[in-house]
Amino acid sequence: MTVAVPTEPRAPRQTERAQRRVTAFSWLLLALGTVGFAAFWVLLAVAWDRQCSWMAVLGALDIAWMLRLGGWRPGPRRAGLGLAASALIVLIANWGIAASQYGGMLGFGPLESSTRLGPNFAWTLFQLANTGTDLIWLALAAAVAVVASR
């Protein structure tokens, strides 16, 4: 009596991973996660009247989770996307915080003032609003984004 032995053993998890593909849903999930978290950060910062830079670390973790939910394959590409999306969260959030604070003084709403805020003025407001501790939080978020997303 002979028993058939498979010539190439495959683990079920490897087969499942190989079948995962990046779809339009994956991109949509990444975009919604990025913009949604940045909006939440802006709302929190405006409500507390603080920068809340520690939110960048939570945003990096959120993006890593979104990449996994979206079916992105592990590796350097996913780590790079995590870093880029986390940097975009920081950019959008700081732009929104600066626009809300400055536009409020002029009587503009947050969306209206965000379209009137130029890049040079936004950079100046970013430098004035963020302390050394805030920059440490942002650097930590970049490291967390790469490690958690890979």
Side-chain angles (χ1 to χ4, degrees):
M1 178 157 118
T2 59
V3 176
V5 178
T7 58
E8 191 176 316
R10 286 186 280 173
R13 297 191 107 178
Q14 287 178 341
T15 306
E16 291 172 12
R17 284 185 187 163
Q19 291 176 356
R20 280 194 255 171
R21 294 201 175 137
V22 177
T23 62
F25 175 73
S26 303
W27 285 104
L28 181 65
L29 190 62
L30 183 61
L32 287 175
T34 302
V35 174
F37 197 88
F40 178 68
W41 184 355
V42 170
L43 289 173
L44 187 69
V46 170
W48 287 0
D49 198 26
R50 305 217 183 283
Q51 280 299 99
C52 300
S53 294
W54 50 269
M55 288 289 290
V57 176
L58 295 179
L61 291 172
D62 182 57
I63 288 299
W65 185 47
M66 291 294 155
L67 288 170
R68 287 193 174 115
L69 283 177
W72 295 87
R73 291 190 178 117
R77 181 178 179 203
R78 189 166 83 177
L81 276 171
L83 180 62
S86 298
L88 191 59
I89 285 175
V90 171
L91 178 73
I92 293 170
N94 278 284
W95 188 284
I97 292 167
S100 296
Q101 296 290 338
Y102 188 69
M105 291 186 293
L106 298 175
F108 295 131
L111 290 177
E112 187 180 5
S113 64
S114 66
T115 60
R116 295 175 183 240
L117 189 65
N120 291 331
F121 190 51
W123 177 247
T124 302
L125 293 175
F126 175 81
Q127 290 174 325
L128 291 171
N130 290 298
T131 63
T133 307
D134 294 320
L135 297 178
I136 290 171
W137 279 113
L138 298 180
L140 182 63
V144 167
V146 170
V147 171
S149 296
R150 62 188 166 111

